[in-house]
Amino acid sequence: MQLIACPWCGEREENEFHYGGQAHVAYPHDPYALDDEQWAQYVFFRDNTKGPFAERWVHAAGCRRWFNALRDTVTHEFLAVYDARAKHPPTTSAAPAAPQRKDQEASR
């Protein structure tokens, strides 16, 4: 079972959390001014990034608070968790590089 670090409660099992979609998606300033295509873009279309991706999570079985997480979509590793009110992830660096195999090190 994967552990997720709630910013308020600490590490807990993944079954206590629910995924809330992509983080940092701005609500339209005037939603009533949007046509159907623009509204559909806001509601249904999200990035599908391979690698570090900012997401929203809620600690549903704990403190019930929302937070953002930077998670690698390839390895499912949580790289950082931070307050949902923060504008950007605390780190923008890519996931750590894969360790070099011994045969690759020898070729250097």
Side-chain angles (χ1 to χ4, degrees), residues 49-106:
T49 303
K50 183 177 182 179
F53 187 62
E55 303 171 328
R56 293 180 42 117
W57 287 81
V58 63
H59 191 182
C63 63
R64 298 183 181 181
R65 294 176 75 175
W66 284 92
F67 62 94
N68 289 342
L70 187 64
R71 184 177 66 88
D72 189 311
T73 60
V74 176
T75 64
H76 302 291
E77 176 186 8
F78 280 77
L79 305 172
V81 293
Y82 56 101
D83 193 309
R85 295 169 291 191
K87 294 198 183 263
H88 298 289
T91 177
T92 56
S93 62
Q100 293 284 324
R101 294 190 328 233
K102 292 190 184 222
D103 60 330
Q104 289 175 330
E105 290 175 1

Side-chain angles (χ1 to χ4, degrees), residues 15-78:
N15 59 359
E16 292 189 15
F17 298 87
H18 291 287
Y19 177 75
Q22 182 177 351
H24 311 292
V25 176
Y27 189 77
H29 180 68
D30 185 7
Y32 296 105
L34 301 180
D35 62 25
D36 289 343
E37 184 175 338
Q38 292 168 322
W39 184 250
Q41 285 289 328
Y42 167 72
V43 173
F44 299 111
F45 290 82
R46 295 291 181 259
D47 295 338
N48 188 16
T49 303
K50 183 177 182 179
F53 187 62
E55 303 171 328
R56 293 180 42 117
W57 287 81
V58 63
H59 191 182
C63 63
R64 298 183 181 181
R65 294 176 75 175
W66 284 92
F67 62 94
N68 289 342
L70 187 64
R71 184 177 66 88
D72 189 311
T73 60
V74 176
T75 64
H76 302 291
E77 176 186 8
F78 280 77

